[in-house]
């Protein structure tokens, strides 16, 4: 992968990360079409850090307020009893806890199924299936569910359900924002509230995954260069990783363009439904299925299959 290809994939990441269309699916599909191979889960996870930095910048006031309230309540500012420390008197403290609770499912599943996420789940037939399925679900729940719940009405149960929706995004094609938004709309959250929850809840999950993948890539490069025991496996692992130069370039692009996309997307959902995104998912699934059937795209990249 050269720098121009990396920048293009970073642009794709920025344009699709926040929309309920699955950025990882687009990176997987477009990577095969443009560079002839799957860029890999490590590359995908790391460039997502760029788009999450854009989220931090855009929601900086909300994040600072939530963190300040969370730490303040935890250390007894709102009362010394346990209920007060856990946000009984402060909505921002409660939101901090809800984000933590909602992050747990994807963290646990990510650690338990790390190998499957990087290999088996990247099968494009799985991507096609979940693209279409969650397109239908998003269309159905967005059209049928009322818009009555705001972020201020969230409960522990709701946070867990949001978290499960985010957890399913470990499968390319589900979409982190798409899974969270679909589950949120099914619970009756407004379109804007569901989007904001999706953005805030993704921050620890995406940064955690990106940092773990970066550390893993550094270890694999070191082990491969050092030779000796385990070198073969390490070299096989970095075979899917394009290197730090292209990866950093893609991350910077995903940050800069991502910030602009956040602004536009929030304005869009305050006026329009998610129907257009649902239709797009279904059409994309059909196109990719045709490319798979005709042999233009392989269901599993050979380098990924070798690492499985």
């Amino acid at each position: 992968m050269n720098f121009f290809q990396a920048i293009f994939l970073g642009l794709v990441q920025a344009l699709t990360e926040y929309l309920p269309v699955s950025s990882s699916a687009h990176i997987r599909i477009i990577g095969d079409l443009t560079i002839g191979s799957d860029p890999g889960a490590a590359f995908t996870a790391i460039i997502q850090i760029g788009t999450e930095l854009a989220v931090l910048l855009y929601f900086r006031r909300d994040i600072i307020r939530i963190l300040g309230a969370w730490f303040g309540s935890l250390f007894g500012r709102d009362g010394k009893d346990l209920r007060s420390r856990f946000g009984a008197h402060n909505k921002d403290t409660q939101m901090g806890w809800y984000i933590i609770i909602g992050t747990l499912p994807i963290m646990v599943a990510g650690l338990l199924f790390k190998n499957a996420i990087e290999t088996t789940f990247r099968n494009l037939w799985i991507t096609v299936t979940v693209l279409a399925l969650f397109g239908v679900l998003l269309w159905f729940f967005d059209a049928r569910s009322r818009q009555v719940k705001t972020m201020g009405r969230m409960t522990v149960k709701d946070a867990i359900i949001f978290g499960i929706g985010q957890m399913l995004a470990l499968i390319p094609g589900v979409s982190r924002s798409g899974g969270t938004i679909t589950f949120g709309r099914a619970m009756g959250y407004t379109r804007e509230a569901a989007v904001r929850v999706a953005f805030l809840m993704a921050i620890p999950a995406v940064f955690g995954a990106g940092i773990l993948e970066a550390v893993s890539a550094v270890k694999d490069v070191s082990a491969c260069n050092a030779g000796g025991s385990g070198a073969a496996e390490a070299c096989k692992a970095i075979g899917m990783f394009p290197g730090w130069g292209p990866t950093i370039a893609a991350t910077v692009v995903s940050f800069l363009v991502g910030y602009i996309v956040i602004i536009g997307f929030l304005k869009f959902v305050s006026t329009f439904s998610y129907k257009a995104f649902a239709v797009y998912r279904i059409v994309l699934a059909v196109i990719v299925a045709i490319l798979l059937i005709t042999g233009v795209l392989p269901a599993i990249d050979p380098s990924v299959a070798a690492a499985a």
Side-chain angles (χ1 to χ4, degrees):
M1 183 188 301
N2 59 44
F3 272 80
F4 292 107
Q5 292 168 329
I7 288 171
F8 179 68
L9 289 177
L11 179 62
V12 171
Q13 164 66 24
L15 293 173
T16 58
E17 170 66 18
Y18 313 111
L19 311 182
V21 296
S22 181
S23 61
S24 58
H26 281 75
I27 294 295
R28 169 73 176 89
I29 295 163
I30 295 175
D32 258 323
L33 291 174
T34 56
I35 64 176
S37 66
D38 179 1
F43 174 80
T44 303
I46 293 170
I47 65 173
Q48 285 176 341
I49 291 178
T51 44
E52 286 311 303
L53 286 173
V55 172
L56 286 181
L57 180 61
Y58 186 86
F59 289 100
R60 60 191 181 278
R61 293 185 180 85
D62 293 330
I63 294 168
I64 292 171
R65 190 183 68 252
I66 291 170
L67 284 174
W70 188 83
F71 279 108
S73 296
L74 191 64
F75 290 103
R77 184 183 63 190
D78 300 323
K80 303 298 183 181
D81 60 293
L82 194 60
R83 290 185 68 255
S84 297
R85 293 180 188 272
F86 278 86
H89 311 299
N90 193 311
K91 289 291 183 181
D92 286 327
T93 301
Q94 290 176 16
M95 181 54 63
W97 284 112
Y98 294 153
I99 291 172
I100 293 171
I101 292 169
T103 303
L104 292 178
I106 196 171
M107 287 179 57
V108 173
L111 293 172
L112 290 178
F113 303 106
K114 185 177 187 295
N115 184 64
I117 293 164
E118 296 180 348
T119 55
T120 306
F121 289 171
R122 298 187 76 79
N123 186 311
L124 280 180
W125 280 116
I126 295 177
T127 301
V128 165
T129 302
V130 296
L131 269 173
L133 175 61
F134 272 82
V136 172
L137 291 175
L138 177 60
W139 192 341
F140 176 82
F141 287 119
D142 189 46
R144 297 296 184 89
S145 300
R146 295 184 300 164
Q147 296 194 73
V148 294
K149 300 181 75 172
T150 62
M151 291 176 65
R153 294 180 58 184
M154 192 183 298
T155 64
V156 172
K157 178 183 175 182
D158 290 354
I160 294 172
I161 294 173
F162 270 122
I164 293 172
Q166 179 174 240
M167 177 192 70
L168 294 175
L170 292 171
I171 305 171
V174 172
S175 167
R176 180 176 289 100
S177 62
T180 312
I181 290 169
T182 299
F183 279 47
R185 290 295 294 119
M187 291 187 287
Y189 279 83
T190 66
R191 294 187 181 108
E192 187 172 355
V195 169
R196 287 181 173 273
V197 171
F199 283 178
L200 292 173
M201 200 167 280
I203 293 172
V206 172
F207 274 111
I211 291 170
L212 285 175
E213 292 290 0
V215 171
S216 178
V218 169
K219 289 181 178 178
D220 287 335
V221 170
S222 299
C224 180
N225 293 335
S229 177
E233 287 299 318
C235 291
K236 185 188 295 183
I238 64 171
M240 295 180 288
F241 187 67
W244 288 108
T247 301
I248 292 173
T251 304
V252 171
V253 170
S254 70
F255 164 72
L256 295 174
V257 179
Y259 187 83
I260 299 172
V261 174
I262 292 174
I263 298 172
F265 185 43
L266 286 173
K267 288 182 178 179
F268 181 92
V269 298
S270 65
T271 307
F272 303 101
S273 73
Y274 291 110
K275 180 180 178 180
F277 299 110
V279 171
Y280 174 82
R281 291 178 65 101
I282 296 169
V283 171
L284 179 62
V286 172
I287 293 173
V288 176
I290 292 172
L291 294 176
L292 288 169
I293 292 170
T294 56
V296 175
L297 284 176
I300 304 178
D301 187 89
S303 62
V304 175

